Amino acid sequence: MLKRLARIIVEYRGAFSLVALFLLVLSVYGIQMLEFESDLTKQLPQDLPAVKDYLTLQNEFQSGDSVLIIVKVTSIEEGGVYDIRDPEVIRAIYELEERLREHEYVTDTMSIADIFVQILGRLPENEEEVRFVLNTLPPEALQGLMSSDYRTTLVIATLTSSSGSQAVQRIYEDIKRDISEVSFPKNVEVIQTGSIGIAYRILAMIKSDLNRTMTIAFILVAFLLIYFYKSVFRAMLPLIPLVFGVTMTLGFMGLLGIPMDMVTTVVGAMIVGMGIDYGVHITNRYFEERKRGRPIEEAAEEAVAETGKALLGAALTTIAGFSALALSILPALRRLSFVLIMGLSLAAINAVVITPSLIMLYEDILKKIKGKHEIPEIRAHSGFIAKSFNTLGRLIKRHPKTTLFVVSLVTLVFLYGLTQVTTEVRLEKMIPEGIPEIEAMKDVRYEFGGQDEVDLVVRADDVRDPNVVRAIYRFEQEILADSYYNNVFEANSIADVVVRKYGYIPQDKEKINEAIKEGGAPVNDDYSMTLIQLKGNFGGVRPDEFRAIMRYFEEQAKNADFPPGVEVKPAGESYLNYVLGNLIDQELNKISTYGSILVVLVVIVLFRRPLVSIAMILPMFLGALWTVGYMGLAGIPFNQTLAGVISMIVGLGVDYGMHLTHRFLEELEEGNPYPIISALEGVGPGILVGALTTAGGFLALLSGELSAIHDFGKTLAIGIFASMFAAFTVTPALLQLFYGKKIRGEEK
């Protein structure tokens, strides 16, 4: 069947090429429609209780994001101000607040300038008035707005709920423009941070990382192909179909409305890295057949037919591994699964259809120039590389058990690494050190105790009930008493509003209602819900501390001493990060298990030989194990992007063992007395080129700015090399042990 299909592809290569060109033009249009997304809720299932509580928080209380603006004296140059109590600084801050309040999405602002207006009825005119006002206030009143050395202060803008990349970009740029239009004195630096600032920076990095990593991936792959094929033009033969495949993938994402997010940003470089493997194996087999003296059309048919068998199996197992991502409850991983399957399918189809057409066109052009067809000489099938695979084949043929023993020792090292793996999903941890928004958040945490927020939603028949308000007050005091453990420095609720008005909590519900109306307490319209707002440093701690703090809030809410019928639940973005982290831990096991099962089933169905299946499958498991062990040893945590990495390595890792096993069986059936050596000599160079180009595509991700993208690139590159090493050692050793007695002949 494949022979017949190969003949059709070769005969009608022109028609197939025209169809590919049409799809390419359509895809270029689709790329213009690509959208970018950084909304955390879009990474979680919408029916999850934590997501519902978060949306309730936004809808019922108009609780949205916040913008934190750091105003900092950064130098002591002459002619400038020396601390933020200078009246010029306070006037500039007040002007900035006025500009911020003009935006319809800003619900409130707060700064030290408001304190002066409240006490003096105006802004201070000199330093004496500034000091007078500050001296009348208790220290704790300024703790959250002014640093102890008077060099840093904070402007907080509360926003209505907003979502989508366009809203984030608009808000960030509006506020950035407001900051630039206010004349702050010399020596003062103003930096925008908070949830909007970090989300904007992530969006900007996603966009730049997509373009940069794809470009570098293509350059790395091109240089490697030029080296192995000894020609720029021959290197283009597998590269051009890959360009078609990547362009079509991104174009169809735009046409289908699939956004680029923290997870799908890696798709471009991944398709470059993985897709090149298909074109390389077709091209290598073609050149191998030409070296044997076959004419160009026969060589192309043989390359498509014979390599097509292994490519079909490799594509199916890779797709099986990626299909496991579709079983995840996380929407981002389901999107990634669909995009990778679509991208690899397009890359494989383009490789099988376009590559033979380009090769024959290339040879026909050379014939017109030189007057005859020349047998191409490529580095992969000659010189040091060819000798190395011959030596490796002879070594494994003689000592298969020793080879497996060495592999076992390597595995023990990585088994220890498995015990060191952690999970980290907080968005700000995805941004590298030195970015202004992250450095500003460090200042917020160091100088002001942090501005991270966790909200506890309190549901009752009527939250104005005196018994409910007293329970809220007791709950707050218990939380604040544990501040050394939970990092909470401030708590706000309706209980605080009532106590500030009366000095106690009255038994009269009407009095409580009056205090709530005057104090602007967080209560919904029908008084069935209210909030307990906790502020502190939750985002700047280690992953294990973050999880411990969020678990503490869960336990406190669950065991809180409230009247019967009252429900208390944690909510907010920090808590959503914690929920996402727990889900990723659960999904890792599920995705990895299902991915492995699907790949094993595909291998068994395709080959129907238990021993052959073991020889192909074991390297993929070792590759995945070594990769995760490396993550533990290198301190790389699992995150949104890396949640499906085991399934990916399993899907990719089996390909190398499959190519080797398929060639071994082909040589064995043809009566070759040295099938192990011939298999390594024949497909080993192709696997090496494919692995290097694939890893090169993944290593291109190191050029990205996002830390999560760096980790993803390093991890997958290690996974590729681990799978290749396992395939070059374990698969031949097992095949030699399983089939050694059937092989006859003398050593080469």
Coordinates of all heavy atoms in Angstrom, one line a residue, residues 60-108:
E60 N -19.8 40.0 42.0 CA -20.6 40.5 43.1 C -20.0 41.8 43.8 O -20.7 42.6 44.3 CB -20.8 39.4 44.2 CG -21.6 38.2 43.7 CD -23.1 38.6 43.6 OE1 -23.6 39.6 44.1 OE2 -23.8 37.8 42.9
F61 N -18.7 41.8 43.8 CA -18.0 42.9 44.6 C -17.2 43.8 43.6 O -16.4 44.6 44.1 CB -17.1 42.3 45.6 CG -17.8 41.4 46.6 CD1 -17.8 40.0 46.4 CD2 -18.5 42.0 47.7 CE1 -18.4 39.2 47.4 CE2 -19.1 41.2 48.6 CZ -19.1 39.8 48.4
Q62 N -17.4 43.6 42.3 CA -16.7 44.4 41.4 C -15.2 44.4 41.7 O -14.4 45.4 41.6 CB -17.1 45.9 41.4 CG -18.6 46.1 40.9 CD -18.8 45.6 39.5 OE1 -18.1 46.1 38.6 NE2 -19.7 44.6 39.3
S63 N -14.8 43.2 42.1 CA -13.4 43.0 42.5 C -12.5 42.7 41.3 O -12.8 41.7 40.6 CB -13.2 41.9 43.6 OG -11.9 41.7 43.8
G64 N -11.6 43.5 40.9 CA -10.8 43.3 39.7 C -9.4 43.3 40.1 O -9.0 42.9 41.2
D65 N -8.6 43.6 39.1 CA -7.1 43.7 39.3 C -6.7 44.9 40.1 O -7.5 45.8 40.3 CB -6.4 43.6 38.0 CG -6.7 42.3 37.3 OD1 -6.5 41.2 37.8 OD2 -7.2 42.3 36.1
S66 N -5.5 45.0 40.4 CA -5.0 46.2 41.0 C -3.7 46.6 40.4 O -2.9 45.8 39.9 CB -4.7 46.0 42.5 OG -3.8 45.0 42.7
V67 N -3.4 47.9 40.3 CA -2.2 48.5 39.8 C -1.4 49.0 41.0 O -2.0 49.8 41.8 CB -2.4 49.5 38.8 CG1 -1.1 50.2 38.4 CG2 -3.1 49.0 37.6
L68 N -0.2 48.6 41.2 CA 0.7 49.1 42.2 C 1.7 50.0 41.5 O 2.4 49.5 40.6 CB 1.3 48.0 43.0 CG 0.4 47.0 43.7 CD1 1.3 45.9 44.4 CD2 -0.5 47.6 44.6
I69 N 1.8 51.2 42.0 CA 2.8 52.2 41.4 C 3.8 52.5 42.5 O 3.4 53.2 43.5 CB 2.1 53.4 40.8 CG1 1.1 53.0 39.7 CG2 3.1 54.4 40.2 CD1 0.2 54.1 39.3
I70 N 5.0 52.1 42.2 CA 6.1 52.4 43.2 C 6.7 53.8 42.8 O 7.1 54.1 41.7 CB 7.2 51.4 43.1 CG1 6.8 50.0 43.6 CG2 8.5 51.8 43.8 CD1 6.6 50.0 45.1
V71 N 6.7 54.7 43.8 CA 7.4 56.0 43.7 C 8.6 56.0 44.6 O 8.5 55.9 45.8 CB 6.4 57.2 44.1 CG1 7.1 58.5 43.9 CG2 5.2 57.1 43.2
K72 N 9.8 56.1 44.0 CA 11.0 55.8 44.7 C 12.1 56.8 44.4 O 12.3 57.2 43.3 CB 11.5 54.4 44.4 CG 12.7 53.9 45.2 CD 13.0 52.4 44.8 CE 14.1 51.9 45.7 NZ 14.3 50.5 45.4
V73 N 12.7 57.3 45.5 CA 13.9 58.2 45.3 C 15.1 57.3 45.1 O 15.5 56.5 46.0 CB 14.1 59.1 46.6 CG1 15.4 59.9 46.4 CG2 12.9 60.0 46.8
T74 N 15.7 57.4 43.9 CA 16.7 56.4 43.5 C 18.2 57.0 43.6 O 19.1 56.2 43.4 CB 16.5 55.9 42.1 OG1 16.4 57.0 41.2 CG2 15.2 55.1 42.1
S75 N 18.3 58.3 43.8 CA 19.6 58.9 43.8 C 19.6 60.2 44.6 O 18.5 60.6 45.1 CB 20.1 59.2 42.4 OG 19.3 60.2 41.8
I76 N 20.7 60.8 44.9 CA 20.8 62.0 45.7 C 21.5 63.1 44.9 O 22.3 63.9 45.5 CB 21.5 61.7 47.0 CG1 22.8 61.1 46.8 CG2 20.6 60.9 48.0 CD1 23.6 61.0 48.1
E77 N 21.3 63.1 43.6 CA 21.9 64.1 42.8 C 21.4 65.5 43.2 O 20.3 65.7 43.5 CB 21.6 63.9 41.3 CG 22.3 62.6 40.8 CD 22.0 62.4 39.3 OE1 21.7 63.4 38.6 OE2 22.1 61.3 38.8
E78 N 22.4 66.5 43.0 CA 22.0 67.8 43.4 C 20.9 68.4 42.5 O 20.9 68.1 41.3 CB 23.3 68.7 43.2 CG 23.1 70.1 43.8 CD 24.4 70.9 43.8 OE1 25.5 70.3 43.5 OE2 24.4 72.1 44.0
G79 N 20.0 69.2 43.1 CA 18.9 69.8 42.3 C 17.7 68.9 42.3 O 16.7 69.3 41.7
G80 N 17.7 67.8 43.0 CA 16.6 66.9 43.1 C 16.1 66.7 44.5 O 16.7 67.3 45.4
V81 N 15.1 65.9 44.7 CA 14.6 65.7 46.1 C 15.3 64.5 46.7 O 16.0 63.7 46.0 CB 13.1 65.4 46.0 CG1 12.3 66.6 45.5 CG2 12.8 64.1 45.2
Y82 N 15.3 64.4 48.0 CA 16.0 63.4 48.7 C 15.1 62.3 49.5 O 15.6 61.3 49.9 CB 17.0 64.0 49.7 CG 17.9 65.0 49.0 CD1 17.8 66.4 49.3 CD2 18.9 64.6 48.1 CE1 18.7 67.3 48.6 CE2 19.7 65.4 47.5 CZ 19.6 66.8 47.7 OH 20.4 67.7 47.1
D83 N 13.9 62.7 49.7 CA 12.9 61.7 50.2 C 11.5 62.0 49.7 O 11.3 63.1 49.3 CB 13.1 61.5 51.7 CG 12.5 62.6 52.5 OD1 11.3 63.1 52.2 OD2 13.1 63.0 53.5
I84 N 10.6 61.0 49.9 CA 9.3 61.2 49.3 C 8.4 62.1 50.1 O 7.2 62.3 49.7 CB 8.7 59.8 49.0 CG1 8.8 58.9 50.3 CG2 9.3 59.1 47.8 CD1 7.7 59.0 51.2
R85 N 8.9 62.6 51.2 CA 8.0 63.5 52.0 C 8.1 65.0 51.4 O 7.4 65.9 51.9 CB 8.5 63.6 53.5 CG 8.2 62.3 54.2 CD 8.9 62.3 55.6 NE 10.3 62.4 55.5 CZ 11.1 62.4 56.5 NH1 10.6 62.4 57.8 NH2 12.4 62.5 56.4
D86 N 8.9 65.1 50.4 CA 9.0 66.5 49.8 C 7.7 66.9 49.2 O 7.0 66.1 48.5 CB 10.1 66.4 48.7 CG 10.4 67.8 48.2 OD1 9.5 68.4 47.5 OD2 11.5 68.2 48.4
P87 N 7.2 68.1 49.4 CA 5.9 68.5 48.9 C 5.7 68.4 47.4 O 4.6 68.1 46.9 CB 5.8 70.0 49.3 CG 6.7 70.1 50.6 CD 7.8 69.1 50.3
E88 N 6.8 68.5 46.7 CA 6.8 68.4 45.2 C 6.4 66.9 44.8 O 5.6 66.7 43.9 CB 8.1 68.7 44.6 CG 8.5 70.2 44.6 CD 9.7 70.4 43.8 OE1 9.8 70.0 42.6 OE2 10.7 71.0 44.4
V89 N 6.9 66.0 45.6 CA 6.6 64.6 45.3 C 5.1 64.3 45.6 O 4.4 63.7 44.8 CB 7.5 63.6 46.2 CG1 7.1 62.2 45.9 CG2 9.0 63.8 45.8
I90 N 4.7 64.8 46.8 CA 3.3 64.6 47.1 C 2.3 65.2 46.1 O 1.3 64.6 45.8 CB 3.0 65.2 48.6 CG1 3.9 64.4 49.6 CG2 1.6 65.1 49.0 CD1 4.0 65.0 50.9
R91 N 2.7 66.4 45.6 CA 1.8 67.1 44.6 C 1.8 66.2 43.3 O 0.7 66.1 42.7 CB 2.3 68.5 44.3 CG 1.9 69.5 45.3 CD 2.1 70.9 44.8 NE 3.5 71.3 44.7 CZ 4.2 71.8 45.7 NH1 3.6 72.0 46.9 NH2 5.5 72.1 45.5
A92 N 2.9 65.7 42.9 CA 3.0 64.9 41.7 C 2.2 63.6 41.9 O 1.5 63.2 41.0 CB 4.4 64.5 41.4
I93 N 2.2 63.0 43.1 CA 1.5 61.8 43.4 C 0.0 62.1 43.3 O -0.8 61.3 42.7 CB 1.8 61.2 44.8 CG1 3.2 60.6 44.7 CG2 0.8 60.2 45.2 CD1 3.8 60.2 46.1
Y94 N -0.5 63.2 43.9 CA -1.9 63.6 43.8 C -2.3 63.8 42.4 O -3.4 63.5 42.0 CB -2.1 64.8 44.7 CG -3.6 65.1 44.9 CD1 -4.3 64.3 45.8 CD2 -4.2 66.1 44.2 CE1 -5.7 64.6 46.0 CE2 -5.6 66.4 44.5 CZ -6.3 65.6 45.3 OH -7.6 65.8 45.6
E95 N -1.5 64.5 41.6 CA -1.9 64.7 40.2 C -2.0 63.4 39.5 O -2.9 63.2 38.6 CB -0.8 65.6 39.5 CG -1.1 65.9 38.1 CD 0.0 66.6 37.3 OE1 0.9 67.1 38.0 OE2 0.0 66.6 36.1
L96 N -1.1 62.4 39.8 CA -1.2 61.1 39.2 C -2.5 60.4 39.5 O -3.2 59.8 38.7 CB 0.0 60.2 39.6 CG 0.0 58.8 39.1 CD1 -0.1 58.7 37.6 CD2 1.2 58.0 39.6
E97 N -2.9 60.5 40.8 CA -4.1 59.9 41.3 C -5.3 60.5 40.5 O -6.3 59.8 40.1 CB -4.3 60.2 42.8 CG -3.6 59.2 43.6 CD -4.0 59.3 45.1 OE1 -3.5 60.1 45.8 OE2 -4.9 58.5 45.5
E98 N -5.3 61.9 40.3 CA -6.4 62.5 39.6 C -6.5 62.0 38.2 O -7.6 61.8 37.7 CB -6.2 64.0 39.6 CG -6.5 64.7 41.0 CD -6.4 66.2 40.9 OE1 -5.4 66.7 40.2 OE2 -7.2 66.9 41.5
R99 N -5.4 61.8 37.6 CA -5.4 61.3 36.2 C -5.9 59.8 36.2 O -6.7 59.4 35.3 CB -4.0 61.3 35.6 CG -3.5 62.7 35.3 CD -2.1 62.6 34.8 NE -1.6 64.0 34.5 CZ -1.7 64.6 33.3 NH1 -2.3 63.9 32.3 NH2 -1.2 65.8 33.1
L100 N -5.5 59.1 37.2 CA -6.0 57.7 37.2 C -7.5 57.6 37.4 O -8.2 56.7 36.8 CB -5.3 56.9 38.4 CG -3.8 56.7 38.2 CD1 -3.2 56.1 39.5 CD2 -3.5 55.8 37.1
R101 N -8.0 58.5 38.3 CA -9.5 58.4 38.5 C -10.3 58.8 37.3 O -11.5 58.5 37.3 CB -9.8 59.4 39.7 CG -9.3 58.9 41.0 CD -9.9 59.8 42.2 NE -9.1 59.6 43.4 CZ -8.3 60.5 43.9 NH1 -8.1 61.7 43.3 NH2 -7.6 60.3 45.0
E102 N -9.7 59.4 36.3 CA -10.5 59.8 35.1 C -10.8 58.5 34.3 O -11.7 58.6 33.4 CB -9.7 60.8 34.3 CG -9.6 62.1 34.9 CD -8.7 63.1 34.1 OE1 -8.2 62.7 33.1 OE2 -8.5 64.2 34.6
H103 N -10.1 57.4 34.5 CA -10.4 56.2 33.7 C -11.6 55.5 34.2 O -11.7 55.3 35.5 CB -9.2 55.3 33.7 CG -7.9 55.9 33.1 ND1 -7.8 56.3 31.8 CD2 -6.7 56.2 33.7 CE1 -6.6 56.9 31.6 NE2 -5.9 56.8 32.7
E104 N -12.5 55.1 33.4 CA -13.7 54.4 33.8 C -13.5 53.1 34.5 O -14.3 52.7 35.3 CB -14.7 54.2 32.6 CG -14.3 53.1 31.7 CD -13.2 53.5 30.7 OE1 -12.7 54.6 30.7 OE2 -12.9 52.7 29.8
Y105 N -12.3 52.5 34.3 CA -12.1 51.2 34.9 C -11.4 51.3 36.3 O -11.2 50.3 37.0 CB -11.2 50.3 34.0 CG -10.0 51.0 33.4 CD1 -8.9 51.3 34.2 CD2 -10.0 51.4 32.1 CE1 -7.8 51.9 33.6 CE2 -9.0 52.1 31.5 CZ -7.8 52.3 32.3 OH -6.8 53.0 31.8
V106 N -11.0 52.5 36.7 CA -10.4 52.7 38.0 C -11.6 53.0 39.0 O -12.3 54.0 38.9 CB -9.4 53.9 38.0 CG1 -8.9 54.1 39.4 CG2 -8.3 53.5 37.1
T107 N -11.7 52.2 40.1 CA -12.8 52.4 41.1 C -12.3 53.2 42.3 O -13.1 53.8 43.0 CB -13.3 51.0 41.5 OG1 -12.2 50.3 42.1 CG2 -13.9 50.3 40.4
D108 N -11.0 53.1 42.6 CA -10.5 53.8 43.7 C -9.0 53.9 43.7 O -8.3 53.1 43.0 CB -10.9 53.1 45.0 CG -10.6 53.9 46.3 OD1 -10.6 55.1 46.2 OD2 -10.5 53.3 47.4

